[in-house]
Amino acid sequence: MPESIVIVGGGAAGQAAAETLRREGYDGRLTMLSADAAGPCDRPNLSKGYLAGTAPDSSNPLRSPEFYRAQDIGLKLGAHVGVVDTRARHVELTDGTRYAYDALLLATGAEPVRLGAGDERPHVHYLRTLADAHALNADAVTSRRAVVIGASFIGLEVAASLRTRGVEVHVVAPGAIPMQRILGDDLGRHIRTLHEHHGVVFHLGTTAASIGSSSVTLKNGEILAADFVVAGIGVRPALTLAKRAGLELDRGVTVDTYLETSVPGIFAAGDIARWPDRLTGENVRVEHWVVAERQGQTAARNMLGLRERFDCVPFFWTEQYDFSLAYVGHAEGWDEAAIDGNLAARDCTVTYRRGGEKVAAAFVHRDLAGLRAELEFEQAMGKNG
């Protein structure tokens, strides 16, 4: 049993790991090092209820400060780890403070992709941390015109929330159909129509060339008035620390089925982890909140020596206006998207297949069907392994 466990990262994976360790009876020294200024928060809520004004700021923290004290979890905020010394088995902060570990979990998450076109201006927002959410929310309350750059899930959720607040929204994206690569043509077009019905104006097939103090100039020459700008053009896994530590990398931190890295005693979970998926037989990395939580739980038990395989089926959801969609499985590529049901009536399933094999499915207002699909994938993984 390790005497000291250190968790680097205060997101979904790190929080879930810390809680699981205590729930499993671990009574050793437990330290969580988070670079954020605020404690772990409900990140999906930031672009949904909180930004829409339907959920208060008090709904954002995952736990109260009293919880960490009661559970004897040493949560250190604003803690920037600069070095992981795998031989001496300690991590060192940029201020020189060291924390020894017997087992270490890296859960450093992901960082927003930057625009690099005037994004240093104070009215240009990214949405990742609670501080980001507070700044964006302040502009949403006081301003009337927004340009959202990127038609990703985060970008479209932000657009929906801003329209709920009565903000004029223009969405700029290089693709011809929103979310086409992940959801396919039909579902992507439906989501675009949904937003247009609520007053969102799309500018597709282009992107931002420059951002001014009150406007955004697009590469096609259009100039859009903007009191503030929100960038949602994707994220990249935060791998700097893992790279410095000499861990094996492959577009993420390579882990085995127990979420252990190439260095014994060091585990990785969440947005940075690339693990062997028994369903597809491929190594995959998934940037989903639920996946991060489940990986944190599994990594915690494995740091205690329980040797539990990570076999959870990826799952995420989105809410935009009164439209909800759940996605089960993981398809980095697919060659068929078949619709069962009535998309216009918001009652359908879209099944994604590759080489005839079902790899993922999206469910529009069909929660029970989504649970059944998750069970089906779990059973398939059992047969594969």
Side-chain angles (χ1 to χ4, degrees):
M1 184 70 68
E3 294 183 5
S4 176
I5 294 179
V6 173
I7 298 170
V8 180
Q15 174 70 24
E19 291 199 28
T20 301
L21 285 165
R22 289 306 190 216
R23 194 178 303 120
E24 292 287 340
Y26 177 67
D27 60 1
R29 186 165 63 250
L30 176 56
T31 306
M32 184 189 301
L33 304 173
S34 174
D36 287 343
C41 69
D42 183 358
R43 187 169 288 131
N45 187 51
L46 301 182
S47 61
K48 298 180 177 73
Y50 177 62
L51 184 58
T54 59
D57 191 24
S58 60
S59 67
N60 288 321
L62 290 176
R63 296 292 186 182
S64 67
E66 291 73 24
F67 170 84
Y68 298 100
R69 287 194 290 270
Q71 294 294 312
D72 194 21
I73 298 171
L75 175 60
K76 313 296 182 183
L77 301 177
H80 298 271
V81 179
V83 175
V84 174
D85 190 323
T86 59
R87 291 186 178 180
R89 298 178 78 85
H90 68 245
V91 301
E92 182 173 324
L93 305 189
T94 53
D95 67 4
T97 306
R98 291 181 177 180
Y99 294 89
Y101 68 84
D102 297 304
L104 172 68
L105 174 64
L106 293 183
T108 48
E111 302 165 332
V113 175
R114 298 283 165 173
L115 292 169
D119 70 344
E120 73 286 349
R121 296 176 182 269
H123 69 298
V124 178
H125 299 278
Y126 297 86
L127 185 53
R128 188 71 182 175
T129 67
L130 189 57
D132 294 338
H134 287 160
L136 176 55
N137 187 61
D139 269 355
V141 170
T142 60
S143 305
R144 305 306 336 144
R145 302 171 301 180
V147 171
V148 176
I149 300 175
S152 61
F153 278 112
I154 188 70
L156 293 177
E157 287 177 358
V158 164
S161 295
L162 292 177
R163 287 300 299 140
T164 300
R165 301 288 283 262
V167 177
E168 177 186 317
V169 177
H170 290 249
V171 173
V172 178
I177 301 173
M179 304 305 303
Q180 182 182 32
R181 184 180 64 83
I182 296 175
L183 299 178
D185 293 358
D186 293 326
L187 197 45
R189 290 192 188 99
H190 180 81
I191 291 175
R192 174 181 177 174
T193 300
L194 168 73
H195 280 270
E196 289 176 335
H197 177 75
H198 284 84
V200 173
V201 179
F202 282 89
H203 305 264
L204 301 175
T206 189
T207 189
S210 63
I211 299 174
S213 59
S214 60
S215 66
V216 176
T217 300
L218 307 185
K219 287 189 176 179
N220 64 7
E222 286 186 89
I223 299 177
L224 307 179
D227 297 319
F228 65 100
V229 176
V230 186
I233 55 175
V235 296
R236 294 191 181 100
L239 301 176
T240 300
L241 195 58
K243 184 176 182 180
R244 288 176 182 169
L247 304 185
E248 182 180 333
L249 303 179
D250 175 18
R251 296 164 295 154
V253 178
T254 302
V255 297
D256 62 16
T257 191
Y258 305 104
L259 301 180
E260 192 167 20
T261 70
S262 56
V263 175
I266 299 181
F267 296 76
D271 292 353
I272 65 170
R274 182 172 292 275
W275 80 94
D277 176 32
R278 281 205 293 161
L279 183 63
T280 62
E282 302 171 346
N283 289 341
V284 300
R285 187 182 66 82
V286 176
E287 297 160 356
H288 299 162
W289 179 261
V290 175
V291 171
E293 286 186 316
R294 292 174 175 174
Q295 286 188 341
Q297 293 163 355
T298 298
R301 287 188 278 268
N302 287 332
M303 284 191 287
L304 300 180
L306 297 183
R307 301 295 287 174
E308 176 184 292
R309 296 202 302 191
F310 180 73
D311 281 338
C312 294
V313 178
F315 165 84
F316 72 84
W317 80 101
T318 185
E319 295 172 353
Q320 300 170 32
Y321 313 106
D322 58 348
F323 174 85
S324 67
L325 178 145
Y327 184 100
V328 178
H330 180 66
E332 292 190 2
W334 43 270
D335 48 42
E336 179 188 358
I339 296 179
D340 170 60
N342 190 328
L343 179 55
R346 299 186 187 177
D347 178 24
C348 74
T349 299
V350 183
T351 301
Y352 303 92
R353 292 185 174 87
R354 182 174 59 211
E357 294 292 329
K358 181 177 178 179
V359 291
F363 303 89
V364 179
H365 292 220
R366 284 187 174 184
D367 293 344
L368 182 57
L371 292 173
R372 288 170 175 162
E374 189 170 358
L375 177 59
E376 177 188 342
F377 282 134
E378 287 176 352
Q379 292 171 338
M381 283 195 295
K383 293 177 181 177
N384 291 343

